[in-house]
């Protein structure tokens, strides 16, 4: 039988150690296909409290709970509608979080007091091995300080937290690179709470119409934690209009139109590759002390919604 192998340097002994730390109520950062997560035992309110403390995150912002198989969802969510089953069959393991009515075993702190819970099966061998070995669902937000850029590499986690995290499992660069799509199935109709690389069009092809959280006709929707300023580098990020760069020295990201900034970076032409590069390049530029990071408006189209969403938030001051 082939031995399970993990990317980079994570071996079975490290997984066992990480699982033990999770069971003891400590924090472990681990790779997923979207971004790195800062994990704690989702059934242990004290462990979960440490996540909020380490991130500097307000307790009004609910966490996503990760499980390794559909058979574990029942521990977290108390109902499993047909639409959830259809989506899970197609997109799990993967970057789609489903918001469902929560089980009583999940402490209120995890869900910011809501009666619903976000749950997903991540598509990453290290995350899945950790979940299996820990034997408990793992609550994990992105492993960054509140409002900062999400981490797509173990080094990004180390820069934010240093030794405030008991262990960081290094799975190399994340290959999706943006946080999961968040879809609520808790109400009468499906609502997209956060766009991601599983697109609204892909979801609608399976389950029919999905409304948007910011749909003005539906009023302000229950998407706690979707703060306008979020996912931001420390360096001011500005969109470029009419080909004009700000004064001073900065870096410029573009898809089509070259402009002569101190540092210029051309993004890949397709949405998947752009998503996979975006946070990585922003982290890199953010460490180079530029006066600004200027970004051309990305292309439009189904796969690009999540990129627009994150850049709009990164530009919000
Ligand atoms: O890709 C991801 O989702 C990553 C990896 C680690 O899985 N996690 C992540 O977690 O991005 P976080 O905490 O940074 O973002 C969680 C998002 C927030 O926008 C939050 O509002 C939403 O999920 N969310 C979680 N539970 C919810 C609930 N019960 N109702 C509404 N929104 C919820
Ligand atoms: Mg986050």
């Amino acid at each position: 039988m082939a031995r399970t192998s993990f990317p980079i340097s994570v071996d079975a002994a490290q997984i066992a150690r990480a699982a033990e730390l999770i069971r003891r109520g400590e924090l472990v950062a681990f790779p997923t296909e979207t971004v790195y997560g800062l994990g704690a035992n989702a059934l242990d309110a004290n462990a979960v409290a440490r996540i909020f403390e380490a991130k500097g995150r307000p307790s009004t912002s609910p966490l996503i709970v990760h499980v390794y198989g559909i058979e574990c969802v029942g521990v977290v969510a108390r109902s499993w509608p047909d639409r959830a089953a259809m989506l899970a069959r197609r997109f799990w393991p993967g970057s789609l979080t489903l918001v469902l009515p929560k089980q009583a075993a999940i402490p209120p702190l995890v869900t910011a007091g809501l009666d619903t819970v976000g749950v997903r099966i991540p598509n990453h061998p290290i995350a899945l091995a950790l979940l299996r070995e820990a034997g408990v669902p793992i609550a994990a937000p992105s492993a960054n300080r509140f409002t900062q850029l999400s981490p797509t590499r173990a080094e990004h986690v180390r820069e934010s937290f240093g030794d405030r995290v008991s262990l960081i499992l290094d799975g190399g660069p994340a290959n999706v690179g943006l946080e999961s799509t968040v879809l609520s199935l808790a109400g009468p109709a499906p609502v997209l709470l956060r766009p991601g690389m599983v697109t609204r069009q892909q979801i609608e092809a399976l389950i029919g119409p999905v409304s948007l959280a910011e749909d003005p006709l539906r009023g302000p929707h229950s998407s706690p934690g979707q703060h306008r300023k979020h996912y931001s580098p420390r360096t001011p990020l500005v969109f470029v209009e009419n080909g004009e760069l700000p004064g001073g020295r900065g870096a410029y990201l573009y898809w089509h139109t070259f402009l002569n900034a101190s540092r210029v970076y051309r993004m890949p032409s397709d949405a998947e590759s752009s998503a996979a590069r975006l946070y990585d390049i922003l982290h890199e530029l953010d460490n180079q002390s530029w006066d600004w990071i200027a970004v051309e408006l990305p292309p439009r189209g189904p796969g690009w919604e999540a990129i627009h969403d994150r850049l709009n938030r990164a530009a919000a001051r």
Side-chain angles (χ1 to χ4, degrees):
M1 216 170 73
R3 283 190 52 208
T4 314
S5 66
F6 300 109
I8 316 292
S9 56
V10 174
D11 59 18
Q14 256 187 297
I15 296 287
R17 185 164 158 249
E20 175 60 25
L21 290 168
I22 291 285
R23 284 192 300 266
R24 285 212 316 246
E26 312 239 350
L27 302 184
V28 172
F30 62 97
T32 82
E33 81 282 26
T34 58
V35 300
Y36 277 70
L38 183 62
N41 179 355
L43 305 176
D44 177 345
N46 292 326
V48 171
R50 300 172 94 156
I51 294 179
F52 286 92
E53 197 185 288
K55 276 189 67 113
R57 174 165 167 142
S59 57
T60 49
S61 202
L63 306 179
I64 292 171
V65 177
H66 301 72
V67 295
Y68 68 81
I70 293 198
E71 65 275 24
C72 312
V73 174
V75 177
V76 177
R78 67 170 187 275
S79 80
W80 186 239
D82 290 345
R83 285 196 272 239
M86 288 164 80
L87 290 165
R89 211 174 298 130
R90 168 79 173 76
F91 295 112
W92 281 1
S95 58
L96 175 66
T97 295
L98 298 177
V99 173
L100 296 164
K102 106 176 179 47
Q103 277 295 13
I106 302 295
L109 187 58
V110 172
T111 63
L114 297 170
D115 189 38
T116 57
V117 62
V119 60
R120 81 176 186 106
I121 303 180
N123 188 16
H124 195 291
I126 294 176
L128 293 171
L130 172 62
L131 286 161
R132 206 175 267 282
E133 186 86 12
V136 291
I138 296 181
S142 51
N144 51 280
R145 303 268 305 161
F146 183 59
T147 78
Q148 293 184 0
L149 282 175
S150 292
T152 53
R153 294 176 185 270
E155 301 87 88
H156 301 155
V157 182
R158 227 165 268 133
E159 279 168 23
S160 311
F161 292 108
D163 51 16
R164 302 199 63 173
V165 175
S166 303
L167 178 65
I168 301 171
L169 296 173
D170 187 346
N175 58 27
V176 172
L178 291 185
E179 304 83 354
S180 63
T181 304
V182 180
L183 181 77
S184 173
L185 295 177
V191 181
L192 186 69
L193 299 176
R194 178 173 73 183
M197 297 312 288
V198 169
T199 67
R200 181 186 183 185
Q201 288 74 10
Q202 287 176 306
I203 295 169
E204 289 186 328
L206 271 188
I207 63 164
V210 167
S211 56
L212 297 179
E214 54 271 61
D215 187 338
L217 293 175
R218 302 179 60 96
H221 231 283
S222 57
S223 63
Q226 282 297 68
H227 303 264
R228 201 169 81 89
K229 176 178 158 50
H230 211 148
Y231 316 104
S232 302
R234 295 174 304 264
T235 315
L237 186 144
V238 293
F239 285 111
V240 177
E241 288 172 69
N242 335 313
E244 277 188 44
L245 294 172
R249 283 169 46 81
Y252 172 56
L253 298 189
Y254 76 105
W255 281 267
H256 295 300
T257 310
F258 174 88
L259 292 174
N260 204 0
S262 303
R263 168 124 192 242
V264 178
Y265 184 85
R266 181 167 198 172
M267 294 293 283
S269 57
D270 68 289
E272 283 70 30
S273 310
S274 287
R277 278 303 286 140
L278 185 65
Y279 285 156
D280 203 31
I281 186 77
L282 290 177
H283 275 285
E284 185 184 323
L285 298 175
D286 205 19
N287 284 333
Q288 293 174 349
S289 313
W290 299 112
D291 298 330
W292 39 262
I293 298 169
V295 185
E296 180 180 23
L297 280 182
R300 291 273 169 197
W304 294 92
E305 280 165 11
I307 294 174
H308 280 271
D309 174 75
R310 303 309 189 275
L311 282 172
N312 283 329
R313 290 176 201 282
R317 287 279 130 186

